């Protein structure tokens, strides 16, 4: 819907994500995968007596919607072992990212993503990984108030 922050570049700290990764047809399977993944992640956190360190983080590792490689995760403060083979604890290295924040319904985020991708090119960067969506609030809000941090790892050309 609306980009509500300037686009900027920042250096992130190394972090750990508890994730579920799968290749899906976005239109047919995404909503179901999101629900399933969050249930699995919550179960592993509960089993380990931990709380998440972030809201959901989704990485789209490619852009082919019919065969989308998607990873859904929660940041965690410590390494976590999971008995669930679908859940992995992934170490994400420190990196440079370009980011912005969108406010509004999820299905109306394309203009903000397009702004971010254009800005990366205009500023002399190249993308170095997937497209990330970090959900800053939950669906208890009205869709017009959803806040999503969008970021892409980058490198100067």
């Amino acid at each position: 819907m609306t980009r509500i922050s300037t686009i900027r570049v920042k250096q992130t700290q190394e972090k750990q994500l508890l994730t579920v990764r799968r290749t899906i047809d976005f239109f047919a399977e995404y909503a179901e995968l999101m629900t399933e993944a969050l249930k699995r992640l919550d179960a592993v956190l509960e089993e380990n007596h931990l709380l998440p360190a972030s809201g959901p983080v989704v990485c789209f590792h490619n852009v082919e919607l019919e065969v989308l490689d998607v990873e859904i995760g929660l940041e965690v403060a410590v390494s976590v072992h999971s008995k669930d083979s679908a859940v992995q604890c992934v170490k994400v290295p420190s990196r440079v990212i370009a980011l912005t924040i969108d406010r509004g319904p999820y299905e109306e985020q394309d203009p903000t993503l397009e702004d971010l991708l254009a800005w990366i090119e205009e500023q002399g960067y190249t993308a170095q990984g997937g497209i990330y969506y970090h959900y800053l609030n939950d669906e208890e809000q009205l869709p017009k108030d959803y806040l999503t941090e969008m970021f892409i790892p980058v490198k100067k050309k």
Side-chain angles (χ1 to χ4, degrees):
M1 179 176 162
T2 305
R3 181 166 56 92
I4 62 167
S5 72
T6 58
I7 298 173
R8 63 180 200 257
V9 174
K10 76 174 192 177
Q11 178 86 36
T12 65
Q13 296 179 337
E14 179 180 278
K15 56 181 86 173
Q16 298 176 97
L17 292 171
L18 199 58
T19 70
V20 172
R21 186 171 179 174
R22 195 171 298 152
T23 300
I24 62 168
D25 177 330
F26 178 81
F27 298 107
E29 301 172 82
Y30 183 75
E32 182 179 317
L33 175 60
M34 179 63 96
T35 300
E36 174 195 333
L38 292 175
K39 283 182 184 175
R40 286 177 179 261
L41 297 172
D42 285 344
V44 171
L45 289 172
E46 187 174 314
E47 169 185 306
N48 286 276
H49 309 288
L50 295 171
L51 296 170
S54 74
V57 177
V58 176
C59 177
F60 299 104
H61 291 281
N62 65 347
V63 294
E64 299 166 42
L65 296 178
E66 293 81 19
V67 287
L68 185 64
D69 179 1
V70 62
E71 190 168 17
I72 298 169
L74 296 169
E75 189 176 331
V76 289
V78 296
S79 185
V80 178
H81 177 72
S82 171
K83 295 175 188 169
D84 182 342
S85 62
V87 177
Q88 302 298 314
C89 192
V90 178
K91 188 173 283 193
V92 179
S94 172
R95 58 198 173 166
V96 175
I97 63 171
L99 76 150
T100 193
I101 298 174
D102 181 85
R103 181 180 66 216
Y106 303 141
E107 60 274 3
E108 295 178 17
Q109 292 179 327
D110 286 351
T112 298
L113 179 58
E114 290 165 6
D115 285 353
L116 180 59
L117 292 167
W119 186 92
I120 288 169
E121 181 66 28
E122 290 164 5
Q123 300 302 312
Y125 289 94
T126 57
Q128 295 292 299
I131 298 168
Y132 289 80
Y133 288 64
H134 176 201
Y135 299 102
L136 301 175
N137 57 7
D138 56 37
E139 292 178 348
E140 301 279 322
Q141 318 297 314
L142 293 172
K144 71 178 184 63
D145 295 324
Y146 292 168
L147 295 173
T148 306
E149 180 182 63
M150 304 166 111
F151 64 93
I152 299 172
V154 295
K155 179 180 172 185
K156 245 337 185 178
K157 290 183 182 177

